[in-house]
DNA sequence: ACTAACGGGACAGCCCGTTTAT
DNA sequence: ATAAACGGGCTGTCCCGTTAGT
């Protein structure tokens, strides 16, 4: 009851809820990418984002809620930017697809951290249904983008008919993720280079 | 006369360091497979193994040491049993290789837990160098076993010359692990079925 | 024309300081009766009242101030309505007194929550002098009302002379509160029934 | 993973689990008596008892478990020492009963803290079923001791036949607790004096 | 070799109060 | 007068490691 009324310094920064929220998500993503969800502590996110606990608690219900938002928004945006939109916009979807895979080792400059979606999916799928469904949804989006690219490739005569496009897309993702995992584990970008060669070559093998 | 009335507690009651150690490793492996290394708490391992903390401390230096031993011994043994020895013993190494891949979905009855080596590798590689080097070593052993099988296949005229066998082996592992990851995430064995088809077909494509 | 479509949110939408204040007090009373003062969190009161924190802060200085107001106003009003006014208005104060005690188990339909004044008094007396003095004041008012009823009973020859009326009133309150406590603790209205019998009988024993 | 192995000072005190446990219970009782269960924080208990968190966690499952043990053991012992045993041992149970009530204001030297059983019962009954049943059990023990004393009083001709002894005992407890509550709230021992007079007189009125 | 008692740091959630902005 | 954003301390729990004692 005798709780003293503590005085607060006026906090020079202006209010900006949108930025506060996005700073939190950014910091959370970085820490989760580095240490996994459970290895990330809230105080680190907070100090990295320059946000206090109270502010965070206003925007998110807790650590889990932040984690979910990181999947839905941050990793989701990355997936859309890197896969969905380029493939949807491209006039030549097959060329675009090959280009993305070709940039694998360049995009994974910090290959020792691995793929955020993969890390989170594997860490949390067995432990938290919310994480599992959210990451699974992103894998579906990813696969859908590739399927659509292959379908348009068929329409343009670049891809053979009669293929099971869903299966082809799943294969590309599986192999790609597998290589990323090996690179992370080996602390070596060589598997990424192999992924580029292999997967581009594979796409070419889909020609009629 | 000695083994009567030992029904309630099947644990190693009388001092038996060898069994104590193996019970600890078994319990640790199960918990780590279920919840990851950091999600596993020592007391759970201890109670599952029917061993107290002090006893454990005489066998291992701590949680980390148990984790390392699980990689080296439990997962290492699994790798040797499932890959190294069958491939080394087989008269027809290519047939053996295909057989192993064909049994993927059967072997992963609990596909929602994923591959222990993959889980541990991805969870810990960025956080603990000891885990990273140990899991990397097992990947090397695994790849070596496949390379050796392919090499013997070449000697028997079943595999084309001129292939980069290291790269082929790495591809098989990457794709396989990628599919396992997708199956775990989707809680669906379909990706494992796809892995069987795809990888067996791929091995056949290596023929001269 | 103004009051249409206001079905989803029955809260005081248009500015209405009087209603806002009373809604806050009502919600605070309910929560404090259920969970005690310290077990009640402000946000629950706020959401129950349909009022935001800023609005509350214009009416009350904080949680403590709300608590004080609940004692002074809500519980105070209840005390006045249930004891002071009926006893003051009654032509036959002794009959009125017996009637009130007789209604004990009916009035405490939710006997498992206990008497709000008792709960608050016991929870906070040792911790917060403001609560202690306010609840003590209500006990004095309560006792005063009974003393006055007994005094009028004496004037009408219904009560023996020579009694220490203050002590008699205190006894009635003490025993009554004691029974309420037992009922709450036992989740059983039996002690309230016993209180009715006992206390009515006791009042009758005060006759000349 | 890089958790440094922290060195601990050898802790001069010898090991004594029994004393450790009892020190914890004693400190917990004192704090709970002063501030209520929810107002008591673990660290205060710990520092008062000179015990660390780990030690406490070894003896009790958590704060709730300590609270339960305080009811069962500390308050239970007090009840037995103050009521059950004196009444059971006494050759003249009615005299013993009066003696106990006569010592009320002396026993409640710190009358502003109130009765521990009452405080806990009222604070927690509505919130935690475990507390409710445990305190209810002590009230039953208490009442049983008084009933037994009255019954022996009947056998010795000191108490009238035909009384509902359970109801008499309940009345004594209710009134006694009610007075204690008033004393605590008023910070005044006067209600305790009144309790002594009133209740001793009441017991005498039970004579044949 | 094994048991039980103990030491103690780290962390997420809870929740009250305060300030900016309408 | 009201709403939303923000500041920040407190506390119970979790859980790993260590030592006295057998």
């Amino acid at each position: 009851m005798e709780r003293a009324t503590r005085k607060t310094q006026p906090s020079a920064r202006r209010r900006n809820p949108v930025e506060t929220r996005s700073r939190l998500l950014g910091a959370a993503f970085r820490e989760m990418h580095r240490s996994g969800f459970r290895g990330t502590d809230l105080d680190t996110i907070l100090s990295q984002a320059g946000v206090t606990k109270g502010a965070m608690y206003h925007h998110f219900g807790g650590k889990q809620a932040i984690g979910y938002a990181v999947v839905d928004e941050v990793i989701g945006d990355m997936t859309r930017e890197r896969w969905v939109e380029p493939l949807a916009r491209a006039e030549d979807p097959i060329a675009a697809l090959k280009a993305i895979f070709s940039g694998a080792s360049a995009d994974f400059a910090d290959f020792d951290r691995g793929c955020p979606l993969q890390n989170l999916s594997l860490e949390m799928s067995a432990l938290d249904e919310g994480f599992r469904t959210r990451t699974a949804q992103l894998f579906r989006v990813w696969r859908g983008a590739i399927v659509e690219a292959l379908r348009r490739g068929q329409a343009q005569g670049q891809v053979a008919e009669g293929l099971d496009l869903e299966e082809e897309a799943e294969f590309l993702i599986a192999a790609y993720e597998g290589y990323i995992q090996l690179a992370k584990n080996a602390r070596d970008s060589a598997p990424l280079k192999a992924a580029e060669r292999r997967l581009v070559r594979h796409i070419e093998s889909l020609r009629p």
Side-chain angles (χ1 to χ4, degrees), chain A:
Chain A
M1 223 55 228
E2 307 307 335
R3 213 185 261 264
T5 51
R6 9 183 168 100
K7 57 271 180 184
T8 17
Q9 58 246 40
S11 89
R13 255 210 322 283
R14 305 290 293 160
R15 258 174 201 199
N16 192 340
V18 177
E19 188 189 330
T20 296
R21 194 190 140 93
S22 102
R23 290 169 67 85
L24 279 170
L25 286 179
F29 170 75
R30 281 193 302 277
E31 290 304 312
M32 286 165 63
H33 195 193
R34 182 198 313 275
S35 315
F37 178 72
R38 288 174 303 175
T40 294
D41 71 300
L42 235 34
D43 287 326
T44 303
I45 294 177
L46 260 23
S47 69
Q48 292 259 341
V51 167
T52 63
K53 217 162 230 185
M56 178 232 119
Y57 207 78
H58 176 72
H59 288 283
F60 298 98
K63 192 189 178 189
Q64 190 191 50
I66 286 198
Y68 287 178
V70 163
V71 178
D72 290 337
E73 301 178 36
V74 183
I75 303 182
D77 282 354
M78 292 169 72
T79 304
R80 284 180 283 273
E81 278 172 32
R82 181 131 191 268
W83 294 93
V84 180
E85 289 166 13
L87 293 178
R89 273 200 309 265
E91 297 193 2
D92 184 340
I94 300 305
L97 193 57
K98 291 197 285 189
I100 300 178
F101 278 116
S102 299
S105 61
D107 274 320
F108 278 86
D110 48 350
F111 50 81
D112 54 325
R113 296 242 170 80
C115 167
L117 181 57
Q118 178 182 44
N119 292 348
L120 224 39
S121 156
L122 276 169
E123 181 190 0
M124 302 304 297
S125 280
L127 301 175
D128 185 298
E129 186 65 9
F131 272 110
R132 191 187 72 77
T133 52
R134 281 170 173 80
T135 50
Q137 166 64 10
L138 289 187
F139 277 116
R140 273 194 296 273
V141 167
W142 184 2
R143 196 179 56 194
I146 294 176
V147 166
E148 187 56 26
L150 294 175
R151 194 183 323 275
R152 288 173 58 207
Q154 282 181 329
Q156 299 178 14
Q158 297 167 302
V159 172
E161 301 291 330
L163 292 172
D164 183 335
L165 299 187
E166 293 279 349
E167 187 184 313
E168 289 298 331
E170 184 180 48
F171 167 75
L172 287 169
I173 290 174
Y176 188 45
E177 293 282 67
Y179 276 119
I180 292 171
Q181 168 198 346
L182 294 178
K184 176 180 174 181
N185 181 241
R187 277 195 200 282
D188 184 356
S189 64
L192 294 178
K193 303 283 192 189
E196 296 181 11
R197 284 195 306 276
R198 279 271 171 181
L199 298 179
V200 169
R201 196 193 315 159
H202 180 76
I203 293 170
E204 284 168 351
S205 78
L206 300 179
R207 274 201 277 238

